[in-house]
Amino acid sequence: MDIGKMAFYQKYRSKQFSELIGQDHISLTLVEAIKSDRLAHAYLLTGPRGTGKTSTARLLAKAINCQEICDQRKKGEELSGEICDKCDSCKEIAESRSVDVIEIDAASHTGVDDIRELIDKARFSPVKSPKKIYIIDEVHMLSKSAFNALLKTLEEPPSHVVFILATTEVNKLPATILSRTQRYDFKRVSKQDIIKNLKRIIDSEKIKITDGALELIAISAEGGHRDAVGLLEQVASFSKDIKEDDVRNILGISRLKDRILFIGAIFNNNPEEGLKIAHRLYADGSDILQFSKDIAEILRKVLLLKISDNIVLDDITEESAQEMKKLGEKVTIDFIVDFINEMIKSFPLIKDASLPLLPLEMVVIKCSNIELKTSNTEGQKSESLLAGSQVKNQGLGDKKPIKNEDSSIKEKSKPADKVEVVEGTKLLEKSDTVSAPVLEMTLDLWQKVIEETKNANTSLAALLRDTKPIEIGEDKIVLGVKFAFHKDRISDHKNCSALESIITGITGKKLKISCKLVERKKQIKVEGSGEDLEKAAEEIFA
Ligand SMILES: [Zn+2]
């Protein structure tokens, strides 16, 4: 093969254990084992994709059959543990043409019976090398019959056979395999290590690249060294003078952008937009499970950044961090936590579903909180499925007080655990409890306000679906809104006065509207006793 045309990853594949990137704990152990001739007959290499499992398997195969190492050993010479990479055996393995090294990719191999036969043939001696070596990649995907053949061989392995098994999903392997192999866990490669290795390639390929661009590539690879090299190659094929924007454009931190847009759509209560993004990605052949995991990961970052300004996330750029912070301002912490929970719950469903989009679509719809379209009671019942799960918890004996109308209605005179006083608002009466009847009535009237608004301005009415009165004064009404975006829209002068006149029309009272951003589950925060408030509300909404 013309080495100039080889893919970067093949061309710069580690040629020695000491060149393995970010897996020192493994390479040191293996080198020691080679030096002292203490090799196992079955190895299990596990860890995320692109972290060096296959490279290690090949190095190990080379070391086991290296003619030079074998000669040195025979002569009783001290070994360095490094591979010669020059002898026939080393060369043949490097070019994948060694008759005694059998490489099987269980993920892509279709000839199921062939694999079983191959494994069955382990009992025959190697042709010309000291050992017959089986490298089985993604071993958890072997067919049942092949798997049984493997197990049988592992139970009583012929002395001339070495198995090197690799997998990204070690949890799918039975204990019978685990107990018969020497296991090595590969870690995600740190950003620094990835950059260090990329620099080696950049120097050798005479590529010019800015530090920012290099960092972006390392971050996009998410700890997978092979991906980082692949990304570099992709960018380098467009330009030999790479800047941050080139990386962004070509690799599409479009990937990150899609995810941010998707989250933004849900935060802005725009399920239609969220669904559109999901459908487009699916049509483009994107891995929906990966997409969902990315969403959960970004939400985690949004959450952490919302909780503290001092949290340092070293795997995103400063620019992305700012973008995520801004995103987090639109919603409450509770909401993000719920959203993350819904995403996590969807993973196994997406994985198993014949329609992988469906569970994701369900999350979009649940989290966008598009209920309250039907009758008031029904709306309250479904007060976002997210909140609903909390109410269920309470029913199961969870003592955590939940500050929403559902709980107040269920447990009539249960005191609200914490009453929030909104500054500058004079309430009619004071007390410690939240009374259900008042809230119900208030919501009932509120529903009328929404219905009325629908006739005048449907987009305003849509905004009100997620909005509820949280305080009622002599001459003012405070609306609790869930999203900053909604607050802005409702507070808009035109919308505000339209709504005020509708409220006046229904209640006969002139009430000045103000909006306040509230936690999604803490929408009803009132000061005042139940009874007195009931009266007060009767007076207002008489
Ligand atoms: Zn060799």
Side-chain angles (χ1 to χ4, degrees), residues 63 96 235 280 397 404:
S96 297
V235 187
R280 174 169 54 78
N404 74 356

Side-chain angles (χ1 to χ4, degrees), residues 62 65-69 83-91:
K62 280 184 184 176
N65 281 346
C66 177
Q67 288 159 351
E68 202 168 307
I69 291 182
I83 296 144
C84 86
D85 215 30
K86 279 181 252 159
C87 68
D88 287 346
S89 169
C90 282
K91 276 189 201 156

Side-chain angles (χ1 to χ4, degrees), residues 267-268 306 326-333 335 420 422 466-468 470-471 478-491 514-525:
F267 279 11
N268 286 325
K306 189 177 173 71
K326 232 173 91 190
L327 201 59
E329 285 165 12
K330 292 175 199 270
V331 288
T332 63
I333 287 170
F335 178 71
E420 189 185 284
V422 180
D466 265 337
T467 305
K468 292 196 185 78
I470 53 169
E471 286 181 36
V478 181
L479 302 179
V481 294
K482 292 173 186 175
F483 307 98
F485 160 76
H486 287 185
K487 187 180 168 205
D488 294 345
R489 295 274 299 274
I490 297 171
S491 304
S514 61
C515 291
K516 188 173 181 295
L517 207 58
V518 292
E519 293 281 307
R520 276 169 79 103
K521 286 181 211 126
K522 297 173 190 164
Q523 287 207 14
I524 307 290
K525 295 174 198 155

Side-chain angles (χ1 to χ4, degrees), residues 93-192:
I93 295 172
E95 289 162 20
S96 297
R97 55 182 179 84
S98 166
V99 283
D100 294 318
V101 176
I102 299 111
E103 285 195 56
I104 299 167
D105 180 0
S108 67
H109 214 289
T110 43
V112 170
D113 289 333
D114 295 352
I115 299 185
R116 200 197 60 213
E117 259 172 56
L118 275 174
I119 295 172
D120 279 339
K121 281 180 186 156
R123 62 182 189 276
F124 299 119
S125 299
V127 180
K128 52 181 193 178
S129 317
K131 302 273 184 190
K132 188 167 189 170
I133 301 168
Y134 284 84
I135 299 177
I136 309 180
D137 208 5
E138 296 299 358
V139 65
H140 65 276
M141 292 181 80
L142 279 183
S143 70
K144 207 171 171 188
S145 63
F147 216 94
N148 288 336
L150 175 64
L151 262 176
K152 227 175 99 193
T153 319
L154 279 176
E155 270 167 23
E156 280 175 74
S159 62
H160 60 258
V161 169
V162 176
F163 281 99
I164 307 173
L165 313 175
T167 181
T168 47
E169 297 187 51
V170 72
N171 55 314
K172 289 195 176 156
L173 292 179
T176 41
I177 292 267
L178 298 178
S179 65
R180 288 179 170 86
T181 53
Q182 205 173 86
R183 173 171 165 175
Y184 291 88
D185 286 82
F186 286 67
K187 296 184 293 192
R188 282 191 190 286
V189 184
S190 74
K191 190 170 83 182
Q192 286 75 16

